[in-house]
Amino acid sequence: MKTLASFLLLSAAAMAQTAIPIDLRCEYHQNPAAIGTRTPRFSWKLQPADETARGIRQTAYEIEVAAEDGRPLWQSGKVQAAATDQIAYAGVPLSSRARATWKVRVWDAADKASSWSPAASFAVGLLDPTDWQALWISAKDDASFTTRENVQNFVGDPERGVLTVTPAKHFRKGFEARAVKRATLHATALGVFTVEINGARVSDERLAPGWSAYQKRIHSRTWDVTSFVKDGDNAIGATLADGWYSGYVAYGLLTAQEGLVPGLNGRYYYGISPAVRVQLELELADGTKRHIITDTSWKCSTGPITESDILMGESYDARKEMPGWSKAGFDDSKWQDAVVKTGTDSAVEPHPGVPVRPIQEMPAKSVTEHKPGVFIFDLGQNISGVVRLKVKGKAGDKVTIRHAEMLHQDGRLSTENLRCARAVDTYTLKGDPAGETWTPEFTYHGFQYVELTGFPGTPDKDAVTGIVIHSDTPLHGSFESDEPMLNRLYQNMVWTQRANFFEMPTDCPQRDERMGWTGDAQIYVRAATYNADIASFYTKWLRDLNDDQWDYGAYPAYAPRPLARPNEHHAAGWMDAGVICPWTIWQVYGDTRVITEHWRKMNDFMDWRKLRDPELDGATDDCNFGDWLSLGDVKTPIPFIDLAYHAYCARLMAEMATAIGDAKRAAGYKAHADKVTASFRKLHLKPDGSLAVHNQSAYAMALFFGLIPEDRKTASAAHLAKLVKENGNRMTTGFLGTRPLLPALSAHGHHDLAGVLMLQREFPSWGYEVDNGATTIWERWNSYVKGKGVHTPEMNSFSHYAFGAVCEWMMGELAGIDRAAPGFDRVKIAPRPINGIRRASAAMMTRHGKLACAWRIENGVFHAEVTVPPNTTAEILLPVKGAVSESGKPAASAPGILKAEGERLSAGSGIYHFSAPL
């Protein structure tokens, strides 16, 4: 009876709650093992106790944070606020290694308290240089491990010399442990690494700790490895490869004539010898602590990974495996002593983003024998990652694995677009009669097709499996319609984003580049937020960007910035990522810390911009990237682009200044934006609304950036529409012009024309790519044409997300979901059908919960189901008049509707159904 009574009381309490806090996060992560700040931010979402409830909102919250021993660290008390995110810790000062649990409860609109949430946890990483006792260690004679290979066969340029390939190094140390209560591993590298304890790998992460501006900042990773350590004898081992630190990056094999220091030859931009730093911290049952650290007592050797490079690929000789090398008792008497690497004084701090890891497996769809002994596998999808090889043969058999995104007309791999990236993996068998399985560790490729040569016998399809690898940004978006082309296009966008959100927002995952190009990043960042949670990913990359800001104030063309080519210093539309990306992260996630963290450097950038163009004519000292890959005879001049972006960024700076309470700068930037805009109009805008630069990109940018006065917007938009129609309803825009093109048309009376462009199937168009077999977004509209083959190879990526920025329009205009206030505290739901589409739906996860809209047209009636996240209000505008709710009554009278002004509704959270005749 007592148990039943308790159950009934708990059930009644649950029913009395309107919402409970869920999905507790600290610094964007669930139960993070090492945060890099002493003032972490907390967040949660509200889950309605009744999924049919509407108008769920929070009026107050209370947070309690406690140390592991139960000591209270912070008790916020009841705070009268609706905030569920970006709530900064304000308790007892936290130090490195601090561990805590936290919980939250909330009050609803009726001032009813929820139950306390289940406790979440966080730990503070190593924040001070003195926290690291471990030394940087490296191989004694790194040069002795190096081999060289002539690469003229795949580069096709004898002046580029030879490829220098380097094996991975193994480091190990034995140790004894007794009564270990907790074991925490902190590790980092100048290079990339994995760690094993007692023969078991401690994490599935790849290419840790990632890439950064090594001269300023190095990231570390932390894991709880208590379960890996046993009583008695133990061993720890680390495998180290060159990675981005000393391996090939940024155009692979380059000559001095291309602006590099002679001898670098495409690698060693940060250093020659990679190094690793490992600190295993043991907390014993008696309260004492012991650290196992990298120092000269560690041993070093090469092993089966005979070549390892991110761009060039990896070679593995299974005959050289060292069974048990990371276990206790292994004989390392013939190994070298590790040496200490000195001269590295960059800050080491916990990685703020998500790890790179294997996400998905892709079985091969088919395998064909292209010619005797040459087998080509098709995964059916262009991905970033590696393959898992299954093979059986005799010792010494060598299987060569080549990768490509596309095939030539004759069925052979198309690898010319890889340029200097060899992208070849090899596996030498040890002759295990049971068969052998291998997956490369310290490389990755962009590919759909895999070629095997040297395979013993005839492989089945399961000999090759694609392993999808990228930064583990949680995917949460969806789009679906009654148009198969759009559905495939959306999937192409997501796959391209996945392939290129790889430690940084890269331009491409396949060729000798793979860098964080700033222009691509700012063009696509808003679209990216629809598809995945990129908050911590961009937190990390924006630090890279600001670390590598040029001393004179401009942001670079790419970040991290390993080299300084004379023609790639700064560029309009590229350098502006330093302002546009933080503004976008604030707008989507309500994150003002990202503004304050980089505020000084953003101001430095804007100050430099003012000084370089005092007359506000638009500057010309530019890399001349311009509207990259635009079509047509009329190009958009650099001064036009520069001045347009100058005005736009000044306006964004004013908004950010207001957000962080800097009223003086807000007023200053608003005045400056007005001044730059006035100069733009004087130079480029004519009385009839036409522009001196008469092309689609110029009008799209000017309208999207708000540079056209209200009394001439209609005329300017008409000029844009005319240009599109005169071109056969096709685009001429490049990277910079395509992102604003459809939004500019839809916002200024030409939504129908935007729809025509969206559904266009002729070149150039998104439909043209899909019809020609694209499974990702291409760098060029005609990167491949059926019946003709591959476009000119020197710059032809098949995984390049810039033109995928139209995802923003598909989600925000066609499906109709967007923010109406920073952080989605208010949301906008305004679906806008186009001719040719009878059904569309989209959803995304905001910081408050799911935002969605699904509409369809049946028998002349428009139907919509909309989902408003908890703790928000929605501005709903349907493309019909006289809408009714699911009850058949006027929509304005439906439960949850807060206000109605004509056809515009204001609604609280919940799921609503509306319909009306078209």
Side-chain angles (χ1 to χ4, degrees), residues 317-544:
D317 189 340
R319 298 170 300 178
K320 297 183 178 182
E321 289 178 345
M322 304 170 291
W325 74 274
S326 62
K327 293 182 178 180
F330 178 80
D331 181 6
D332 59 12
S333 59
K334 294 183 180 180
W335 286 32
Q336 294 182 354
D337 293 332
V339 296
V340 173
K341 182 181 178 71
T342 59
T344 301
D345 57 3
S346 302
V348 178
E349 59 186 47
H351 195 297
V354 292
V356 172
R357 59 164 42 108
I359 304 294
Q360 184 177 345
E361 296 190 0
M362 304 289 291
K365 300 292 186 183
S366 65
V367 57
T368 58
E369 189 169 14
H370 174 61
K371 58 184 180 181
V374 179
F375 301 95
I376 295 180
F377 295 74
D378 180 3
L379 300 182
Q381 174 63 54
N382 196 9
I383 67 170
S384 64
V386 292
V387 303
R388 182 175 63 231
L389 174 69
K390 292 175 63 177
V391 61
K392 185 188 293 187
K394 64 181 184 297
D397 285 347
K398 182 178 178 180
V399 181
T400 299
I401 309 169
R402 299 173 65 222
H403 307 80
E405 296 179 294
M406 195 62 70
L407 300 179
H408 283 296
Q409 292 290 91
D410 61 4
R412 60 191 166 89
L413 296 189
S414 174
T415 60
E416 294 85 352
N417 69 322
L418 302 181
R419 301 189 304 214
C420 297
R422 184 181 60 176
V424 174
D425 302 328
T426 63
Y427 180 75
T428 302
L429 281 69
K430 59 187 174 184
D432 188 336
E436 303 172 40
T437 301
W438 176 64
T439 304
E441 181 65 50
F442 297 115
T443 190
Y444 81 97
H445 315 289
F447 65 100
Q448 177 175 333
Y449 299 94
V450 178
E451 178 195 271
L452 298 186
T453 55
F455 191 94
T458 301
D460 296 326
K461 283 194 303 182
D462 64 356
V464 164
T465 301
I467 309 297
V468 179
I469 300 174
H470 53 76
S471 290
D472 193 8
T473 52
L475 297 172
H476 61 55
S478 65
F479 176 89
E480 195 272 335
S481 74
D482 61 338
E483 171 50 66
M485 183 274 285
L486 290 186
N487 299 339
R488 179 66 252 186
L489 176 64
Y490 178 74
Q491 292 303 316
N492 291 359
M493 294 165 179
V494 174
W495 275 107
T496 309
Q497 179 173 327
R498 294 174 65 182
N500 284 288
F501 276 37
F502 202 110
E503 180 61 12
M504 73 219 87
T506 64
D507 60 325
C508 57
Q510 76 297 100
R511 66 188 180 209
D512 59 346
E513 209 165 337
R514 311 188 199 181
M515 293 190 295
W517 281 94
T518 49
D520 305 55
Q522 69 88 0
I523 291 164
Y524 188 77
V525 62
R526 177 64 183 102
T529 64
Y530 275 110
N531 304 323
D533 180 353
I534 64 167
S536 69
F537 178 84
Y538 257 82
T539 297
K540 183 268 179 188
W541 183 72
L542 285 172
R543 290 177 183 168
D544 297 337

Side-chain angles (χ1 to χ4, degrees), residues 405 417 419 510-511 778-780 782-784 790-798:
E405 296 179 294
N417 69 322
R419 301 189 304 214
Q510 76 297 100
R511 66 188 180 209
W778 296 345
E779 183 175 25
R780 299 174 180 270
N782 57 348
S783 286
Y784 179 88
V790 177
H791 192 278
T792 178
E794 59 267 17
M795 195 188 72
N796 190 22
S797 163
F798 290 91

Side-chain angles (χ1 to χ4, degrees), residues 528-680:
T529 64
Y530 275 110
N531 304 323
D533 180 353
I534 64 167
S536 69
F537 178 84
Y538 257 82
T539 297
K540 183 268 179 188
W541 183 72
L542 285 172
R543 290 177 183 168
D544 297 337
L545 179 60
N546 281 274
D547 283 349
D548 272 333
Q549 183 181 26
W550 291 108
D551 292 342
Y552 55 85
Y555 285 104
Y558 37 77
R561 174 172 53 84
L563 71 162
R565 298 178 88 190
N567 62 332
E568 290 178 353
H569 42 89
H570 58 260
W574 269 253
M575 59 187 176
D576 302 281
V579 171
I580 295 170
C581 292
W583 177 86
T584 303
I585 297 302
W586 162 55
Q587 285 286 308
V588 173
Y589 301 106
D591 187 343
T592 55
R593 187 174 289 185
V594 76
I595 300 174
T596 56
E597 179 178 349
H598 304 301
W599 189 236
R600 180 181 65 82
K601 293 216 168 188
M602 285 191 275
N603 282 290
D604 289 346
F605 167 60
M606 295 301 292
D607 290 345
W608 166 79
R609 198 162 209 170
K610 294 174 187 176
L611 289 172
R612 78 192 268 257
D613 185 22
E615 302 301 320
L616 298 181
D617 294 329
T620 58
D621 61 327
D622 190 284
C623 295
N624 289 308
F625 297 155
D627 188 26
W628 192 252
L629 294 182
S630 63
L631 303 172
D633 297 329
V634 180
K635 299 300 180 182
T636 312
I638 295 299
F640 180 100
I641 297 171
D642 183 77
L643 199 60
Y645 269 95
H646 189 166
Y648 182 54
C649 284
R651 180 167 64 81
L652 302 190
M653 290 291 286
E655 293 180 15
M656 287 189 283
T658 299
I660 62 173
D662 191 340
K664 182 177 178 181
R665 285 195 182 272
Y669 277 119
K670 183 182 183 304
H672 185 65
D674 291 343
K675 184 177 179 181
V676 181
T677 300
S679 181
F680 178 91

Side-chain angles (χ1 to χ4, degrees), residues 90-114:
V92 175
L94 299 173
S95 59
S96 297
R97 302 183 180 88
R99 292 185 177 88
T101 60
W102 71 283
K103 59 184 180 179
V104 62
R105 62 175 174 169
V106 301
W107 281 261
D108 64 13
D111 202 31
K112 291 181 180 178
S114 72

Side-chain angles (χ1 to χ4, degrees), residues 687-848:
D688 65 350
S690 64
L691 293 171
V693 180
H694 195 63
N695 67 27
Q696 294 178 19
S697 290
Y699 284 99
M701 280 189 269
L703 287 164
F704 186 79
F705 291 165
L707 303 179
I708 307 297
E710 197 65 38
D711 62 350
R712 278 179 273 183
K713 282 182 179 179
T714 299
S716 292
H719 286 293
L720 172 58
K722 184 179 180 182
L723 284 169
V724 172
K725 292 174 182 177
E726 289 175 346
N727 196 49
N729 291 330
R730 293 175 298 167
M731 298 176 289
T732 60
T733 49
F735 278 18
L736 298 183
T738 298
R739 186 253 172 140
L741 179 60
L742 271 64
L745 288 169
S746 289
H748 297 94
H750 299 279
H751 181 66
D752 56 342
L753 184 56
V756 171
L757 287 173
M758 185 76 261
L759 297 178
Q760 177 64 263
R761 311 297 276 260
E762 297 180 7
F763 171 85
S765 68
W766 295 280
Y768 186 79
E769 285 189 9
V770 171
D771 289 346
N772 278 285
T775 64
T776 41
I777 300 298
W778 296 345
E779 183 175 25
R780 299 174 180 270
W781 300 110
N782 57 348
S783 286
Y784 179 88
V785 179
K786 290 180 178 179
K788 295 183 179 180
V790 177
H791 192 278
T792 178
E794 59 267 17
M795 195 188 72
N796 190 22
S797 163
F798 290 91
S799 185
H800 225 90
Y801 54 61
F803 284 135
V806 73
C807 176
E808 183 179 349
W809 182 91
M810 292 169 64
M811 303 286 274
E813 293 289 339
L814 180 58
I817 57 174
D818 203 350
R819 71 196 185 285
F824 285 83
D825 290 345
R826 295 197 318 277
V827 301
K828 173 186 173 184
I829 300 176
R832 302 184 68 183
I834 57 175
N835 290 331
I837 301 296
R838 308 289 292 178
R839 172 174 54 83
S841 64
M844 66 172 294
M845 187 63 65
T846 74
R847 66 174 179 163
H848 297 292

